[in-house]
């Protein structure tokens, strides 16, 4: 069962899908702006609490059959009729107030992915490891309030159970020699 910890800004024991931190994609409808994103699958009670807190950033309710088709996997919470997906994002750039130009985020503000190493400390794997769909972990978020409502922005991810990403296709360089 997933858990929402509002005091710490954590979604715990959640399934991670479409984690895009290594190479942030373009924002929907934009040709210039990029954003870091992750889809987080939570149970119904966590989704209800999330929706009460973040009314304008609601969890998306997806029927199990549609979930299987969209995410290419079995439902995470098989005992539920629907799966609840929360999309967390963070812009990959900001607009400079003096020049009006888009400036990439400073490296220290980029959302990170961590995994516990053999010593029990967290290792940054943001740019070295692809996070496979169905990995399980904890997502940290920052809460922002303004006149439009209360919103959560992606902060960081700790992967507790990593699903390895298998690359299919691509170029096979073995014919050239040992790589």
């Amino acid at each position: 069962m997933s858990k929402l910890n509002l005091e710490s800004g954590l979604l715990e024991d959640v399934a991670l899908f479409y984690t895009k931190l290594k190479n942030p994609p373009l924002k929907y409808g934009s040709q210039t702006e990029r954003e870091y994103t992750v889809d987080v699958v939570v149970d119904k009670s966590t989704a209800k609490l999330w929706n009460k807190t973040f009314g304008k950033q609601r969890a998306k309710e997806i029927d199990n059959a549609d979930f299987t088709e969209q995410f290419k996997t079995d439902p995470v919470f098989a005992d539920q009729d629907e799966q609840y997906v929360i999309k967390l994002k963070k812009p990959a750039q900001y607009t400079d107030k003096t020049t009006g130009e888009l400036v990439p985020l400073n490296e220290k503000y980029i959302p990170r992915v961590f995994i516990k190493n053999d010593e029990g400390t967290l290792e940054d794997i943001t740019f070295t490891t692809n996070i496979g769909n169905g990995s399980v972990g904890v997502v940290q978020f920052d809460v922002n309030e303004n006149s439009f409502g209360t919103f959560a922005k992606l902060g960081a991810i700790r992967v507790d159970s990593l699903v390895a990403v298998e690359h299919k296709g691509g170029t096979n360089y073995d014919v050239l020699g040992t790589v």
Side-chain angles (χ1 to χ4, degrees):
M1 300 297 282
S2 55
K3 180 180 168 191
L4 174 61
N5 184 335
L6 289 170
E7 287 180 21
S8 300
L10 298 174
L11 280 164
E12 301 173 273
D13 297 321
V14 297
L16 308 169
F17 287 86
Y18 302 118
T19 305
K20 299 173 189 165
L21 300 185
K22 189 186 249 185
N23 298 308
L26 290 170
K27 282 185 178 181
Y28 179 77
S30 175
Q31 297 300 316
T32 56
E33 296 182 57
R34 297 186 174 276
E35 65 187 354
Y36 302 100
T37 65
V38 64
D39 287 345
V40 179
V41 180
V42 299
D43 63 5
K44 185 175 184 174
S45 62
T46 302
K48 286 177 80 173
L49 181 56
W50 178 271
N51 290 344
K52 285 181 183 178
T53 308
F54 303 102
K56 299 217 175 181
Q57 189 180 358
R58 301 177 65 80
K60 188 175 183 181
E61 187 176 312
I62 303 174
D63 289 330
N64 285 350
D66 295 336
F67 180 87
T68 301
E69 184 178 322
Q70 183 177 346
F71 291 90
K72 312 288 187 262
T73 188
D74 293 330
V76 176
F77 298 97
D79 58 327
Q80 298 179 165
D81 294 334
E82 301 90 14
Q83 302 301 303
Y84 297 88
V85 181
I86 299 169
K87 181 176 279 299
L88 287 166
K89 310 178 211 179
K90 183 173 187 175
Q93 68 285 310
Y94 65 94
T95 304
D96 186 301
K97 291 183 180 179
T98 56
T99 65
E101 293 181 21
L102 286 178
V103 179
L105 281 183
N106 185 308
E107 190 173 324
K108 67 181 177 181
Y109 298 116
I110 294 174
R112 301 293 182 168
V113 180
F114 300 99
I115 194 164
K116 284 189 180 175
N117 61 23
D118 294 336
E119 291 83 42
T121 58
L122 295 180
E123 178 181 338
D124 186 345
I125 60 169
T126 308
F127 303 109
T128 59
T129 306
N130 291 319
I131 310 306
N133 289 344
S135 295
V136 177
V138 177
V139 177
Q140 180 183 17
F141 57 88
D142 301 315
V143 178
N144 294 329
E145 293 184 45
N146 58 32
S147 59
F148 297 108
T150 303
F151 301 92
K153 285 190 177 181
L154 178 59
I157 299 171
R158 185 187 76 214
V159 177
D160 296 330
S161 176
L162 179 65
V163 172
V165 176
E166 295 180 22
H167 291 284
K168 298 176 184 170
T171 305
N172 182 0
Y173 298 110
D174 291 343
V175 295
L176 300 175
T178 304
V179 180

